[in-house]
Amino acid sequence: MSLISQNACTNAKKTQREEDIKEPPNLEEVEDAKDSDDNALKIKKRKLEQSEMKQVKEMKKLESFLFGSLYSPVEFGKEDNEVETGDTKSSDLFFTDRSANSVLSVYEEDADVSEESGDDRGAALQRKPVWVDEEEEKATINIANVNRLRKLRKEEDEDLISGSEYVSRLRAQHVKLNPGTDWAQIDSRSRTDRSDDESDEENESALNQGNRDVDDILRTNEDLVVRSSSKLLPGHVECSKLVDANIQDPSNGPINSVQFHRNAQLLLATGLDRKLRFFQVDGKRNTKIQSIFLEDCPIRKASFVPDGSQVILSGRRKFFYSFDLVKARVDKVGPLVGREEKSLENFEMNGTARSLAFAEDGQQLLSAGGDGQVYNWDLRTMTCIHKGVDEGCINSTALSTSPGGKLFAAGSDSGIVNIYNREEFLGGKRKPIKTVENLTTKVDFMKFNHDSQILAIGSSMKKSSLKLIHIPSYTVFSNWPPPNVSLSYPRCLDFSPGGGFMAVGNSAGKVLLYKLHHYQHA
């Protein structure tokens, strides 16, 4: 081939290339490419939206399992397998929650209410149980015989109740022990869905419906079993052990005296270690306030004077001490003029006086001793106005009078405690109201509480020999002393002025402190 033909061939290829470049593109192909890109973006966007909806739906489903069907109002009349195919978005946004075993949710109740007319709106608010056991009404439960059911009583003499009432009271007790939160209450949810004016009226009417039905139990936190502040029930005494009253300074010897001050915050504790200790009792720390050491007097007995300004301390000596709380000063009193005995512990009657108790606000004195008789002395005239035989007693060892002076108890060395009506005893009636035989050793101390509903009796000759007597029924509390708890050898006891605390001194140098839950104040 010649050079001319080669150049012609090259020029033809170059011209064909330029024509190809200059040829305009096909518009249909461009539009098809754009449509395919748009479709891909739409599909991608739809998949992304479906993924987000799926995540939201899963989150709502999880929340429904945890907190109830809050986001899934059920369409009534449809089964689980019925799915709407017409509207994809609505089927994605709503689902049916069957996690609560087909129990109607709050929103289902609202749906019922919305379908009702205005006159029937109040009736629709009443929740209906899914299933009712007909045997509940026929069954009767005795809540007085079972100890753990006695707290369900509304009155002291109540015993038999119906099955439905029993279920209602159990629910009330559960709500009392496990109070709910405000956001979980039914009425708080309904208030958010209604206007302010309507919600106030409807909620008020709903809360006032019925006396003690299930809705009222779930809508209130008040005590359904009203605990009387003045009436203590027999059988069991509700109490709990607190930190020892003298935990910050235990005694090195037996505790002989414990007593609460009239302000209920100060407690004294004394013993044979010759120390007088004061504690501020709160049941948690029981802070020690002060201690006084007496070199020459092991303390056998200590007591506040009635106005609480002084403490009288005595032992087996011919003198005694007086401690002034205001001036923080100790005064030694005695020996008494005309008395030659070495110890101020024996007082003469017809027999030897072994126990004393004041009555009538300190104007009268009861005494008993070795002759088995109880003497009543008038301290204003210094004469004996009455004496009578304590039934079945040979040697009297303890006396105690109730705060109002109506009752008194007399204990003997045989462990027998007789409880008398003081007016009847002074009138000549020698028969005791009740004879308590729960102690088997000598009665060393007795004490009424402030409202005379509890009488404590104890003996220091036997471990845990301490009983609490319910005075209105004259029966012993069966759960005291607490099981599997040792009180050691109890030697003294006192109740706080309000009855909330009980202090027990023992031979180990400890002052045990208990809280009596029936009484709200110390």
Side-chain angles (χ1 to χ4, degrees):
M1 182 181 292
S2 65
L3 181 61
I4 295 174
S5 63
Q6 290 179 356
N7 291 334
C9 232
T10 303
N11 292 332
K13 291 181 180 179
K14 183 177 180 182
T15 304
Q16 181 67 30
R17 240 192 267 100
E18 290 177 354
E19 290 177 356
D20 293 341
I21 293 173
K22 291 180 180 181
E23 185 179 357
N26 192 350
L27 295 178
E28 294 180 357
E29 295 178 357
V30 173
E31 290 179 357
D32 292 340
K34 289 182 178 180
D35 292 339
S36 62
D37 292 340
D38 292 340
N39 291 334
L41 289 175
K42 288 181 180 180
I43 294 173
K44 186 176 181 180
K45 186 176 181 180
R46 190 182 300 114
K47 289 183 179 180
L48 183 61
E49 290 178 354
Q50 290 178 355
S51 176
E52 291 178 353
M53 288 181 181
K54 186 176 181 181
Q55 291 180 0
V56 172
K57 197 161 78 171
E58 290 296 331
M59 290 297 295
K60 290 182 178 181
K61 186 176 181 180
L62 178 60
E63 291 177 1
S64 298
F65 275 113
L66 294 176
F67 305 111
S69 54
L70 300 177
Y71 305 97
S72 56
V74 177
E75 295 183 11
F76 297 102
K78 294 187 177 182
E79 301 296 333
D80 293 345
N81 54 2
E82 293 185 16
V83 181
E84 292 185 3
T85 58
D87 191 355
T88 306
K89 294 184 179 179
S90 62
S91 64
D92 291 336
L93 289 175
F94 301 101
F95 68 96
T96 301
D97 182 15
R98 300 297 185 184
S99 61
N101 293 328
S102 299
V103 178
L104 295 180
S105 67
V106 178
Y107 285 93
E108 291 176 306
E109 297 165 6
D110 293 342
D112 275 336
V113 174
S114 64
E115 293 177 0
E116 298 291 336
S117 63
D119 296 337
D120 299 336
R121 191 175 186 84
L125 285 173
Q126 184 68 27
R127 297 175 63 188
K128 295 181 180 180
V130 178
W131 175 76
V132 178
D133 187 2
E134 297 178 356
E135 296 297 328
E136 286 185 0
E137 291 294 339
K138 300 179 182 179
T140 56
I141 294 89
N142 193 326
I143 59 177
N145 289 343
V146 183
N147 294 335
R148 61 189 179 88
L149 298 181
R150 291 178 178 174
K151 57 180 173 290
L152 301 179
R153 293 183 295 178
K154 295 182 179 179
E155 297 180 0
E156 181 179 356
D157 55 350
E158 189 176 18
D159 50 6
L160 294 177
I161 60 174
S162 64
S164 60
E165 180 68 15
Y166 174 69
V167 173
S168 176
R169 296 188 186 184
L170 284 179
R171 291 179 181 272
Q173 183 70 11
H174 175 75
V175 173
K176 177 183 175 183
L177 298 178
N178 304 280
T181 53
D182 293 337
W183 63 266
Q185 298 298 325
I186 297 177
D187 56 349
S188 65
R189 293 187 205 168
S190 62
R191 281 197 298 269
T192 60
D193 297 332
R194 303 171 186 172
S195 64
D196 295 337
D197 296 336
E198 293 179 354
S199 62
D200 292 340
E201 295 176 359
E202 292 177 0
N203 288 333
E204 184 177 358
S205 62
L207 288 173
N208 291 330
Q209 287 180 355
N211 289 328
R212 294 300 179 194
D213 57 359
V214 178
D215 276 349
D216 286 340
I217 294 173
L218 297 177
R219 287 192 175 102
T220 181
N221 288 330
E222 66 179 0
D223 293 338
L224 298 183
V225 180
V226 179
R227 178 180 295 176
S228 173
S229 59
S230 60
K231 184 179 293 185
L232 178 65
L233 298 180
H236 281 66
V237 57
E238 296 183 11
C239 62
S240 58
K241 178 73 169 61
L242 303 178
V243 178
D244 291 348
N246 64 341
I247 186 66
Q248 294 193 2
D249 188 11
S251 176
N252 295 325
I255 300 293
N256 287 333
S257 292
V258 292
Q259 187 180 6
F260 284 92
H261 191 269
R262 58 186 298 179
N263 66 7
Q265 297 180 356
L266 188 64
L267 175 74
L268 68 81
T270 62
L272 297 180
D273 62 350
R274 305 181 184 184
K275 280 188 177 182
L276 169 64
R277 298 174 175 87
F278 294 99
F279 300 91
Q280 183 178 0
V281 177
D282 58 5
K284 298 178 181 179
R285 297 184 58 187
N286 302 331
T287 307
K288 176 186 173 182
I289 297 177
Q290 189 179 8
S291 64
I292 294 95
F293 179 74
L294 304 177
E295 294 184 357
D296 55 352
C297 184
I299 303 171
R300 295 274 180 172
K301 184 68 177 178
S303 178
F304 289 105
V305 296
D307 63 0
S309 61
Q310 294 181 347
V311 178
I312 306 299
L313 306 100
S314 64
R316 304 189 70 176
R317 298 290 186 269
K318 55 184 177 181
F319 54 84
F320 60 93
Y321 284 94
S322 173
F323 175 69
D324 193 319
L325 275 70
V326 178
K327 300 179 181 179
R329 186 179 67 189
V330 178
D331 296 323
K332 185 176 182 180
V333 182
L336 299 181
V337 178
R339 303 295 293 266
E340 298 180 356
E341 62 266 29
K342 296 182 179 180
S343 176
L344 297 177
E345 58 182 280
N346 293 322
F347 299 90
E348 294 296 331
M349 307 180 300
N350 291 347
T352 302
R354 296 185 179 180
S355 56
L356 303 171
F358 287 98
E360 300 291 339
D361 294 329
Q363 296 181 1
Q364 296 185 12
L365 179 69
L366 298 180
S367 64
D371 58 354
Q373 297 194 64
V374 178
Y375 295 79
N376 195 348
W377 304 83
D378 190 334
L379 298 181
R380 293 167 294 183
T381 60
M382 305 298 292
T383 58
C384 178
I385 60 176
H386 181 270
K387 71 174 182 178
V389 177
D390 183 14
E391 186 180 76
C393 175
I394 298 177
N395 293 317
S396 180
T397 57
L399 280 176
S400 180
T401 57
S402 63
K406 180 180 179 181
L407 304 174
F408 78 91
S412 65
D413 58 356
S414 62
I416 303 297
V417 176
N418 290 327
I419 303 175
Y420 294 92
N421 184 303
R422 186 165 170 269
E423 292 183 359
E424 293 179 355
F425 187 81
L426 293 177
K429 184 179 180 180
R430 302 291 185 265
K431 189 72 174 176
I433 300 175
K434 179 68 175 180
T435 298
V436 182
E437 302 177 353
N438 292 82
L439 298 182
T440 57
T441 54
K442 181 184 71 170
V443 181
D444 290 302
F445 60 90
M446 297 186 295
K447 181 71 176 181
F448 285 91
N449 73 333
H450 73 290
D451 59 358
S452 303
Q453 293 196 84
I454 300 177
L455 171 64
I457 59 175
S459 173
S460 60
M461 301 181 66
K462 187 177 180 180
K463 277 190 174 182
S464 300
S465 184
L466 176 63
K467 298 293 182 181
L468 298 181
I469 302 171
H470 180 255
I471 289 302
S473 63
Y474 298 100
T475 57
V476 175
F477 289 107
S478 58
N479 65 327
W480 182 268
N484 303 323
V485 175
S486 176
L487 304 178
S488 187
Y489 294 91
R491 298 179 63 87
C492 52
L493 177 143
D494 192 33
F495 295 97
S496 61
F501 289 140
M502 180 178 67
V504 181
N506 60 23
S507 59
K510 297 180 179 180
V511 179
L512 309 179
L513 188 64
Y514 289 87
K515 170 66 177 175
L516 303 182
H517 297 292
H518 174 77
Y519 300 101
Q520 304 299 321
H521 304 287

